[in-house]
Amino acid sequence: MGRMTATPASSPAPARQKRVLLAAPRGYCAGVDRAVIAVEKALEQYGAPVYVRHEIVHNKYVVQTLERKGAIFVDQATEVPPGNIVMFSAHGVAPAVHEEARRGRLATIDATCPLVTKVHKEAVRFANEDFDILLIGHEGHEEVIGTTGEAPEHIQLVDGPEDVAKVEVRDPSRVVWLSQTTLSVDETMETVDALKEKFPQLISPPSDDICYATQNRQAAIKELATQAELVIVVGSKNSSNSQRMVDVAVQAGADAAYLVDFASEIDEAWLEGVTSVGLSSGASVPDVLVQEVLEWLTERGYADVELVKTADETLTFSLPKELRRDLRAEAAELNKE
């Protein structure tokens, strides 16, 4: 009979190291980068003040930084004194706003994101072809207001699948859907599926309206949510794409997800029992704010940072062509008229 040996008690499993899963891509998209640089260039070239109709992008830190440099944000172009320069935000404006600026004797810079401009052009084309246009988006969002203004008599807003029941069109064989660029991809396709059930001949736009950056950031958040108990998205409350990232994180399996403008808004109670924190930022967020969150987390033991990369982004947009002109002189001439 062989010798018996006692089996040593199993040692407790080592505690998992606290870590941060950092999303890539995150932060500024090409359209936001272009718009912010456009304001900075305008201030350099023409001097302060440069007026901006609405927030140039939906981010508190960016707006405050540009205000300190001499940008003045207004709700309407009609608030700008004649003979000045006004810039239109990345979200786009209706043709009526361009007309307001002309009547107000203002020189204009159009910083609308080219991907939003694409949706505007689609709306005009389908309206000219006498289609009913179903615009999927959130009521009151600046981008929706701007797109609707291109063809108000042809466009109906559909704010989610629950809106589909009340949609009526003139000819079910001549109806097309367009979309706000910053929505959740999954949520939008839910609405499209419901519309197609009601209108089987519904036409899709030539290419998906939801922008590449929105899709990429949501894809990265989905990946984070499968590995992290807590997801933090840096972004402002009025940023649609940032809000959607929080929604996507929860839907993809994160125990909790929060939106914060600054590291100081993080509640330490959120970290209780959490070993993995997913971190990303909306498309209008400068990376300095993400770095501040990383420092905040490092101070609390989350020093191990792993990059979770789901896509490469190389797209860039040229600056608005108006920046190549002497807009101060143009504004002065307009003010003489």
Side-chain angles (χ1 to χ4, degrees):
M1 187 174 173
R3 188 171 54 139
M4 295 180 64
T5 57
T7 304
S10 58
S11 55
R16 282 183 61 190
Q17 185 175 352
K18 291 179 178 180
R19 61 178 183 163
V20 178
L21 301 172
L22 181 62
R26 64 181 182 277
Y28 273 8
C29 63
V32 164
D33 196 40
R34 171 182 186 262
V36 174
I37 291 173
V39 179
E40 293 171 339
K41 289 284 187 188
L43 288 165
E44 284 173 21
Q45 288 177 210
Y46 310 123
V50 169
Y51 290 84
V52 184
R53 184 186 180 275
H54 292 175
E55 294 185 351
I56 187 68
V57 296
H58 286 155
N59 184 265
K60 189 184 296 186
Y61 174 89
V62 171
V63 168
Q64 291 171 350
T65 301
L66 292 173
E67 281 177 331
R68 287 194 293 270
K69 293 181 178 181
I72 298 176
F73 294 88
V74 296
D75 290 330
Q76 301 299 336
T78 51
E79 298 172 41
V80 182
N84 276 284
I85 297 169
V86 65
M87 184 177 294
F88 301 134
S89 78
H91 309 102
V93 297
V97 176
H98 288 274
E99 183 56 37
E100 276 178 8
R102 279 192 291 272
R103 286 199 308 268
R105 303 193 298 280
L106 305 174
T108 60
I109 303 170
D110 190 352
T112 302
C113 173
L115 300 180
V116 174
T117 299
K118 176 184 75 71
V119 179
H120 281 221
K121 288 179 176 176
E122 288 172 352
V124 171
R125 178 168 71 84
F126 283 113
N128 287 340
E129 294 173 9
D130 203 30
F131 276 79
D132 280 345
I133 301 165
L134 306 180
L135 177 61
I136 301 170
H138 295 310
E139 187 168 4
H141 190 276
E142 288 163 43
E143 188 185 323
V144 166
I145 294 168
T147 303
T148 302
E150 294 285 358
E153 68 285 356
H154 284 269
I155 294 177
Q156 292 181 63
L157 179 63
V158 185
D159 196 345
E162 63 281 356
D163 263 10
V164 171
K166 66 184 182 187
V167 175
E168 298 295 337
V169 299
R170 295 168 298 157
D171 180 353
S173 70
R174 296 188 65 76
V175 59
V176 62
W177 70 270
L178 301 177
S179 172
Q180 179 182 330
T181 64
T182 54
L183 298 180
S184 153
V185 181
D186 296 338
E187 179 188 0
T188 299
M189 295 319 296
E190 257 186 71
T191 306
V192 171
D193 290 343
L195 285 169
K196 283 183 174 175
E197 201 168 308
K198 185 168 184 177
F199 306 111
Q201 293 172 277
L202 179 72
I203 294 172
S204 297
S207 59
D208 290 342
D209 287 344
I210 295 174
C211 90
Y212 77 96
T214 298
Q215 295 185 57
N216 287 348
R217 279 149 192 71
Q218 290 177 12
I221 278 288
K222 285 181 180 179
E223 183 63 31
L224 291 186
T226 64
Q227 304 178 52
E229 303 100 308
L230 168 69
V231 172
I232 295 172
V233 177
V234 183
S236 290
K237 303 291 186 292
N238 63 339
S239 167
S240 178
N241 80 86
S242 299
Q243 290 277 11
R244 298 292 79 73
M245 288 168 70
V246 173
D247 298 338
V248 167
V250 173
Q251 290 159 7
D255 293 341
Y258 298 97
L259 183 66
V260 299
D261 262 301
F262 305 105
S264 58
E265 296 176 5
I266 301 172
D267 186 340
E268 291 200 42
W270 300 346
L271 301 176
E272 193 172 331
V274 170
T275 54
S276 295
V277 178
L279 177 60
S280 189
S281 56
S284 49
V285 178
D287 212 50
V288 62
L289 300 181
V290 175
Q291 296 307 315
E292 286 178 4
V293 172
L294 282 173
E295 289 170 18
W296 189 95
L297 289 167
T298 297
E299 290 167 4
R300 286 151 183 85
Y302 296 83
D304 182 19
V305 179
E306 298 176 25
L307 194 67
V308 177
K309 189 172 185 178
T310 55
D312 286 304
E313 291 183 354
T314 57
L315 184 66
T316 58
F317 295 129
S318 58
L319 291 174
K321 61 184 183 300
E322 297 94 335
L323 289 168
R324 297 194 288 270
R325 307 203 306 256
D326 185 351
L327 290 185
R328 282 288 176 216
E330 287 183 27
E333 283 301 313
L334 287 168
N335 203 26
K336 290 176 186 176
E337 294 176 6

